[in-house]
């Protein structure tokens, strides 16, 4: 399973990348706004900077909602760097654009996915990645992980090549359960990745090893 970080914060991207386990980055318009990245040129430059930090796929989201607008934006984004993946919303015009990008060899990430039916549409259009938002599903008292399992089963039975990118990850358990449920990728905040390290017995064991070493060696 690939690990992406879900942020536009350069310090956090660098920190995750330094761990040596990062495979890519996802962003969205809210994450860009959170970092104060505004205006076309600044946004484009920010994507370029991220691509220079991480040697892996970087999802850059369109803000148009009509076919022509999505295609124009997506082609510009894809031309920025070979690792850019165009992130497109799960709407009819978006699916149409994904099918167009697929024919053109431009890779896509279909976002805002909340059902198996939507997952089938994105796979039919040839999306490279599919982003089901598991945290937001959990927030609405449905089970995000059940959706990952269902899509994983459908894609396997049908032989769809679209990769399942579990998004809207909120904690380390979401990462573990996504791996168990068959996700190909998780995109996570840095806090969820760092949470995977935590175990009190690791801390206690290490303190003991170091203390014993000190006692024996002075
Ligand atoms: O990439 C989509 C994801 O960032 C959404 O996460 O936490 O806003 O639901 P969240």
């Amino acid at each position: 399973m690939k690990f992406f970080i879900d942020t536009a914060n350069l310090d956090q991207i660098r920190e995750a990348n330094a761990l040596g386990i990062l495979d890519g980055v996802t962003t969205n318009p809210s994450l860009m706004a959170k970092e104060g990245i505004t205006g076309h040129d600044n946004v484009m430059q920010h994507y370029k900077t991220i691509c220079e930090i991480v040697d892996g796929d970087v999802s850059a989201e369109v803000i148009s909602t009509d076919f022509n607008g999505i295609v124009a934006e997506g082609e510009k984004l894809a031309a920025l760097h070979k690792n850019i993946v165009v992130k497109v919303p799960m709407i009819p015009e978006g699916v149409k654009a994904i099918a167009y990008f697929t024919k053109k060899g431009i890779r896509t990430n279909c976002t805002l996915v909340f059902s198996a039916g939507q997952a089938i549409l994105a796979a039919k259009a040839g999306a490279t990645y599919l982003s089901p938002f598991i945290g937001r599903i959990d927030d609405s008292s449905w089970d995000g992980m059940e959706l990952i399992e269902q899509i994983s089963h459908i894609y396997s039975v049908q032989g769809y090549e679209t990769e399942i990118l579990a998004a809207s990850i909120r904690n380390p358990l979401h990462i573990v359960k996504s791996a168990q449920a068959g996700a190909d990728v998780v995109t996570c905040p840095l806090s969820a990745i760092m949470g995977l390290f935590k175990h009190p017995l690791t801390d206690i064991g290490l303190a003991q090893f170091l203390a014993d070493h000190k006692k024996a060696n002075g």
Side-chain angles (χ1 to χ4, degrees):
M1 186 173 76
K2 289 186 264 190
F3 269 50
F4 290 176
I5 186 165
D6 192 29
T7 185
N9 181 287
L10 298 182
D11 288 339
Q12 292 188 13
I13 291 170
R14 286 193 189 95
E15 190 177 335
N17 196 44
L19 290 172
I21 53 143
L22 194 67
D23 301 296
V25 180
T26 54
T27 61
N28 62 41
S30 303
L31 294 171
M32 295 292 273
K34 192 174 161 196
E35 298 307 317
I37 315 297
T38 55
H40 175 267
D41 291 354
N42 291 336
V43 167
M44 297 303 243
Q45 182 51 52
H46 202 73
Y47 287 136
K48 272 196 204 168
T49 306
I50 294 173
C51 289
E52 281 157 15
I53 298 171
V54 179
D55 184 20
D57 289 347
V58 174
S59 286
E61 187 160 344
V62 299
I63 47 162
S64 299
T65 53
D66 64 294
F67 174 79
N68 289 332
I70 295 171
V71 164
E73 260 191 80
E75 286 180 337
K76 261 193 209 162
L77 289 167
L80 276 179
H81 193 279
K82 66 177 174 46
N83 288 348
I84 291 281
V85 175
V86 181
K87 206 169 174 189
V88 180
M90 168 39 75
I91 54 176
E93 294 288 285
V95 167
K96 210 163 111 183
I98 290 170
Y100 171 89
F101 287 136
T102 302
K103 284 195 194 96
K104 286 260 184 175
I106 292 174
R107 295 176 313 132
T108 53
N109 174 355
C110 183
T111 189
L112 290 166
V113 170
F114 294 90
S115 76
Q118 293 176 329
I120 292 170
L121 286 171
K124 289 285 294 173
T128 314
Y129 294 109
L130 176 90
S131 290
F133 277 27
I134 62 174
R136 292 191 195 185
I137 294 173
D138 288 357
D139 289 345
S140 60
S141 81
W142 291 51
D143 187 341
M145 218 46 68
E146 275 180 13
L147 179 61
I148 301 292
E149 282 167 16
Q150 188 184 17
I151 297 170
S152 178
H153 178 72
I154 291 169
Y155 279 14
S156 154
V157 165
Q158 296 296 330
Y160 291 140
E161 288 175 7
T162 298
E163 292 188 48
I164 303 167
L165 192 169
S168 186
I169 294 263
R170 300 281 169 76
N171 55 55
L173 191 56
H174 272 155
I175 300 176
V176 173
K177 288 194 164 182
S178 294
Q180 203 175 333
D184 300 287
V185 191
V186 277
T187 188
C188 337
L190 182 61
S191 58
I193 298 174
M194 297 314 286
L196 290 173
F197 283 97
K198 286 187 191 160
H199 200 290
L201 292 179
T202 303
D203 300 338
I204 292 167
L206 181 59
Q208 184 70 55
F209 286 156
L210 295 180
D212 289 346
H213 175 81
K214 197 171 175 196
K215 216 188 304 172
N217 294 274

